[in-house]
Amino acid sequence: MNFSLEQLNTFVTVYERKSLSKAAVKLNKHRSTIGQVVMNLEDTLMVTLFDKVGRSVEPTKEATLLYRYAKQAVEQLKTFDKLAINLASGDIEAINIGYCSFIPQIAIADVRMQLARDFPNLRVNLFVCGKDKLKQGIEDGYFHFGLVNIHDSKAINSFHSTYLETLSFVPFGARNSKLAGTSPDEMLSQLKNSKQLILQSLIEEGLSDKITFSPNNEAIDQLSVVIRLTELGHGWTLLPRSIVKSEYINQSLVQLEVSEWKKSLEIPISLWSPHSSQLEKIRTSIVNALQDYVDYVLEELNNDLCQ
């Protein structure tokens, strides 16, 4: 037996609405058309699907047995139809984005919400991973985009690379901690003798010699855990300067001023992706979201300097 999408969709809609008239409204068709489609389907199956009860219809046992399979078939056909349209128009149904754990989380959230506005039907999967895994994932076709640090990278011709911004890492401690009350001239000595909390991803990125100041240190995998332990006074840590604005933690953390540090640790960030015309509009959306985030943070930091 061969069934059309129209027949299955009509059957499912009538079954769910229990009314030919309501199904007609839902499908934007005349009631008589809906009735004819149901009759044709009943003739093909040689069973009665609905019994008329007043102005409504009640599914028969046969209809109930068929409904789940018809519903599944309709949804699969809709998915197939949508995918076919996307392929024909060059659109992508889903993307995977990887990013280093030290990227401020609100920046990632801003990217996702921007994509939701620009591409409402696009599924976006987000993964925390290191640069090597991101690079391999893009080469294998698993990752469509990667937010990576390029502090020691050479030109990579096989990827589309867009420089975004340099994250400035500075020391932070709990606002009510002993370190918070230490003078800038004495701060470096105190940092070297205090527990340092280090993001594991910074070590994996080959930055260990640049970020480790205290022999008393602990490596932690998640940015949120590092922030929370620092808030609780368990130690101090290096974080992007913008984290105070982006994570709304300026009430619990304070930047620790060090006289000997004339310049913060700078980590340049780029957006990597394969060279693909299909990804161009999505790439533009991601870059715009991140640029808005950077502009906001810079404005806030400038306002603080002016106060």
Side-chain angles (χ1 to χ4, degrees):
M1 294 182 181
N2 294 320
F3 309 105
S4 67
L5 175 59
E6 179 188 20
Q7 285 179 314
L8 294 178
N9 195 32
T10 299
F11 164 67
V12 167
T13 306
V14 173
Y15 184 97
E16 293 175 344
R17 304 285 168 148
K18 292 183 170 55
S19 167
L20 296 179
S21 298
K22 291 180 180 179
V25 172
K26 172 68 175 178
L27 298 175
N28 194 29
K29 293 183 178 180
H30 196 276
R31 184 183 183 282
S32 61
T33 302
I34 298 297
Q36 188 61 54
V37 172
V38 171
M39 288 179 59
N40 292 341
L41 184 59
E42 288 179 328
D43 289 342
T44 301
L45 295 171
M46 294 183 290
V47 297
T48 299
L49 296 174
F50 299 100
D51 292 325
K52 189 174 181 179
V53 180
R55 295 184 177 181
S56 302
V57 294
E58 286 294 329
T60 62
K61 292 181 179 179
E62 291 79 5
T64 300
L65 288 172
L66 291 171
Y67 168 73
R68 181 165 64 91
Y69 299 99
K71 178 72 171 179
Q72 187 178 47
V74 168
E75 294 304 318
Q76 289 177 340
L77 285 170
K78 286 181 178 178
T79 300
F80 177 86
D81 186 57
K82 180 180 176 182
L83 179 58
I85 292 173
N86 287 341
L87 290 174
S89 62
D91 291 337
I92 294 177
E93 188 179 42
I95 61 171
N96 295 331
I97 300 177
Y99 60 96
C100 299
S101 68
F102 51 79
I103 303 292
Q105 294 173 3
I106 198 170
I108 302 301
D110 286 351
V111 166
R112 182 63 191 93
M113 296 311 296
Q114 183 67 51
L115 290 173
R117 290 188 291 270
D118 294 342
F119 308 95
N121 296 320
L122 180 68
R123 289 190 292 110
V124 180
N125 305 307
L126 302 169
F127 303 93
V128 173
C129 53
K131 181 169 61 178
D132 290 341
K133 184 177 179 180
L134 272 172
K135 180 179 178 182
Q136 188 63 51
I138 293 175
E139 290 176 347
D140 294 342
Y142 180 76
F143 284 116
H144 298 85
F145 296 95
L147 288 168
V148 298
N149 95 74
I150 53 171
H151 76 283
D152 62 351
S153 296
K154 299 179 181 179
I156 301 177
N157 297 323
S158 60
F159 295 161
H160 186 294
S161 181
T162 302
Y163 170 73
L164 298 170
E165 184 57 64
T166 296
L167 291 181
S168 300
F169 281 72
V170 294
F172 282 91
R175 186 171 291 275
N176 59 355
S177 66
K178 179 180 178 181
L179 284 172
T182 301
S183 68
D185 292 338
E186 299 176 350
M187 185 64 73
L188 182 58
S189 175
Q190 289 298 316
L191 293 180
K192 290 181 177 180
N193 290 287
S194 302
K195 180 176 292 183
Q196 180 182 1
L197 307 177
I198 303 176
L199 264 172
Q200 178 65 28
S201 60
L202 292 174
I203 298 174
E204 293 172 352
E205 296 286 320
L207 294 168
S208 180
D209 59 332
K210 295 182 179 181
I211 62 170
T212 304
F213 292 89
S214 172
N216 180 15
N217 61 75
E218 297 176 358
I220 300 172
D221 191 49
Q222 297 182 1
L223 177 62
S224 58
V225 176
V226 171
I227 292 174
R228 183 55 180 158
L229 289 176
T230 305
E231 288 177 331
L232 294 172
H234 184 64
W236 67 274
T237 188
L238 287 171
L239 296 172
R241 180 180 279 117
S242 61
I243 206 80
V244 172
K245 298 300 178 185
S246 64
E247 303 293 345
Y248 303 101
I249 56 175
N250 55 319
Q251 297 302 315
S252 54
L253 292 186
V254 62
Q255 180 178 335
L256 305 174
E257 301 293 340
V258 183
S259 295
E260 291 87 346
W261 291 3
K262 302 303 181 184
K263 188 177 181 180
S264 58
L265 172 64
E266 306 291 328
I267 299 182
I269 304 297
S270 280
L271 177 67
W272 283 358
S273 67
H275 289 283
S276 169
S277 58
Q278 288 182 306
L279 297 175
E280 188 60 39
K281 291 182 179 179
I282 299 176
R283 183 188 300 111
T284 299
S285 180
I286 294 174
V287 171
N288 288 341
L290 292 171
Q291 189 58 57
D292 288 344
Y293 166 79
V294 170
D295 291 344
Y296 164 75
V297 170
L298 289 177
E299 181 180 357
E300 290 295 309
L301 291 175
N302 288 334
N303 289 339
D304 287 348
L305 291 175
C306 294
Q307 291 177 358

